[in-house]
Amino acid sequence: MNRWKIRPPSKASIVVLLSMVVVAVLVVVFHAQNPMSYEIYSSESIHYDKGTVTAVTAQSLEQEPPPSNRLLGTQTVEIQMKNGQYKGRIITIENVLSTTHNIQVKAGQSVIVKVDSPENAEPYFSIYNYDRTIGIIAIALLFFLLLVVVGRRKGIKSLLGLAFTLFLVVGLLLPMIYQGYSPILSSLLVAVLVTLAAMLLLNGPSKKTLVAILSTGAGLMISAALYGLFTAILHLSGYQMEQVEDLLLVSQNTGLQLGQVLFVGVLISSLGAVMDMTMSIASSLYEIKQVSPQVTKGQLMKSGMVIGQDMIGTMCETLILAFVGTALTTMLVLVSYGIQFDQLLSSDYIAIELIHAVTGSMAVVLSVPTTALLSGIFFAQSSSKT
């Protein structure tokens, strides 16, 4: 039972949490003073409201041949609106089930209704998608519960750090880039704040935390340098990204620096892996020093390299497979086009995916000797626990 006893947070944790709150308040103030007012498409007349299917009054559906076996056709459904301008009203919608928009509904099901109500015209209703709100909340709560049950205090701190990271990305990084601030400086600022918050919140101020922070910073600098080198070799910039046409419109109206946006994706995608690697090695070497105070700086560095070598393979494979997984559908489309090998290798898409995967992986690899070196320097200075 004592293992589950909730201990009050330490003074260091309270200071870190208060600092995170201060940063969050400053972000809210910044966001309020710099609203993202420009929109490519005006959607004032379009709203997405919740509704419940009360009845399916008619349907004409045919089953697709295997392997999909999906139903195609039309449904006539009655939906009671739960919020928005038409709350409480029962509306009738002709729901078309096609190969690309296949939302089959039944009585009692919650859906999201697209309401298009332009001035001086009859409103038009269509089923946008299933209402996934409860499902998403349930899955998120399950994840949070597992994190807290298994990780206990560390799990709670990890949860707070994750929430703070997502808040900074959505509330600070995106608005700064959107408003024309330097994407490179903006992403570095957010990366520094995320690193400090995550490391200090999880482990408090200590030598191993300092080593992990410094090593992560070095890893980010390595990532930035590799990005500059690789984009020069491959002749890449943000202008080769997907949806560049829409971003060009944003750039013309907000000052968004499109050419540097690619760097942001590379830096953010490699940040988590670099933090994981540096903290794992620093924590391991720190414990070695506490158990065997007589261990020398050279022995610590050697041990750090051995530990890092064991982690490199799986960590880099994790990064590569993550990008392969997200690119799988695009790769299938490219195969269906009968694209040639040389054409595939020279495409913007493959070059950009390569930059993301390889830059992050190399930053992880090079963070191993950096962390081992810094651990040897800092931990060998004293055998006392800090």
Side-chain angles (χ1 to χ4, degrees):
M1 293 295 294
N2 291 334
R3 292 184 303 169
W4 292 94
K5 185 178 180 181
I6 299 177
R7 293 177 296 173
S10 63
K11 292 182 179 180
S13 295
I14 294 175
V15 171
V16 174
L17 288 172
L18 289 176
S19 301
M20 292 168 61
V21 171
V22 171
V23 172
V25 171
L26 293 176
V27 170
V28 171
V29 172
F30 171 81
H31 197 276
Q33 295 179 348
N34 297 271
M36 295 188 290
S37 57
Y38 174 74
E39 296 180 357
I40 297 177
Y41 305 108
S42 176
S43 57
E44 294 180 357
S45 65
I46 298 177
H47 301 276
Y48 295 86
D49 300 323
K50 295 183 179 182
T52 302
V53 177
T54 57
V56 179
T57 57
Q59 61 181 11
S60 176
L61 303 175
E62 294 183 358
Q63 191 174 43
E64 273 189 313
S68 65
N69 295 321
R70 293 190 307 170
L71 295 176
L72 304 178
T74 59
Q75 291 181 307
T76 303
V77 299
E78 292 182 351
I79 298 177
Q80 184 173 24
M81 302 300 293
K82 295 193 291 186
N83 66 333
Q85 180 181 357
Y86 300 95
K87 180 180 180 180
R89 175 175 167 181
I90 295 180
I91 60 174
T92 301
I93 293 179
E94 192 76 7
N95 182 33
V96 178
L97 280 69
S98 65
T99 55
T100 57
H101 187 77
N102 197 277
I103 312 298
Q104 184 182 1
V105 298
K106 57 184 179 181
Q109 197 161 31
S110 295
V111 294
I112 301 296
V113 178
K114 180 180 178 181
V115 182
D116 190 356
S117 52
E119 294 184 8
N120 304 320
E122 287 293 320
Y124 176 76
F125 303 93
S126 61
I127 295 179
Y128 168 71
N129 217 323
Y130 302 109
D131 182 6
R132 297 188 173 104
T133 305
I134 295 178
I136 289 176
I137 292 175
I139 292 172
L141 288 176
L142 177 61
F143 169 69
F144 298 158
L145 179 63
L146 288 175
L147 198 60
V148 172
V149 170
V150 177
R152 302 181 188 176
R153 292 188 67 181
K154 291 275 185 168
I156 296 174
K157 292 179 178 181
S158 298
L159 186 58
L160 292 173
L162 176 60
F164 185 69
T165 298
L166 294 176
F167 175 77
L168 287 180
V169 170
V170 176
L172 181 62
L173 181 60
L174 292 181
M176 288 185 71
I177 296 174
Y178 197 89
Q179 295 289 0
Y181 291 89
S182 169
I184 294 177
L185 296 179
S186 301
S187 58
L188 288 174
L189 171 63
V190 169
V192 169
L193 292 175
V194 167
T195 301
L196 290 174
M199 298 293 192
L200 291 172
L201 189 62
L202 283 173
N203 298 285
S206 65
K207 284 189 175 182
K208 67 177 179 181
T209 303
L210 177 60
V211 168
I213 290 174
L214 293 177
S215 300
T216 300
L220 293 178
M221 294 301 102
I222 291 171
S223 180
L226 292 173
Y227 166 84
L229 175 63
F230 293 161
T231 51
I233 293 174
L234 299 178
H235 305 285
L236 281 178
S237 71
Y239 292 96
Q240 282 92 23
M241 296 185 304
E242 294 182 6
Q243 299 179 327
V244 66
E245 293 181 1
D246 289 339
L247 291 177
L248 279 171
L249 289 175
V250 176
S251 177
Q252 293 168 2
N253 289 274
T254 66
L256 182 147
Q257 300 178 39
L258 184 56
Q260 299 178 11
V261 172
L262 180 59
F263 172 82
V264 180
V266 172
L267 186 72
I268 297 300
S269 62
S270 61
L271 176 60
V274 172
M275 283 199 300
D276 187 14
M277 177 66 79
T278 57
M279 178 51 76
S280 297
I281 296 176
S283 181
S284 300
L285 297 182
Y286 182 81
E287 291 305 315
I288 290 175
K289 183 63 177 178
Q290 300 310 307
V291 174
S292 303
Q294 72 279 5
V295 69
T296 65
K297 179 170 68 175
Q299 291 172 328
L300 280 176
M301 293 172 60
K302 183 178 180 180
S303 297
M305 291 299 298
V306 172
I307 294 170
Q309 288 165 2
D310 289 337
M311 297 177 62
I312 281 174
T314 54
M315 183 67 71
C316 291
E317 189 167 342
T318 299
L319 286 172
I320 298 295
L321 289 178
F323 287 110
V324 170
T326 58
L328 188 60
T329 54
T330 303
M331 295 293 290
L332 287 172
V333 172
L334 292 175
V335 170
S336 70
Y337 287 162
I339 190 169
Q340 299 177 19
F341 182 71
D342 289 339
Q343 179 187 5
L344 178 65
L345 284 184
S346 298
S347 65
D348 290 336
Y349 177 78
I350 290 298
I352 289 175
E353 291 301 317
L354 179 69
I355 286 289
H356 276 91
V358 175
T359 301
S361 297
M362 291 184 68
V364 168
V365 171
L366 293 175
S367 67
V368 171
T370 303
T371 310
L373 175 62
L374 291 176
S375 297
I377 294 173
F378 282 89
F379 298 163
Q381 292 177 355
S382 173
S383 61
S384 60
K385 190 172 182 179
T386 56

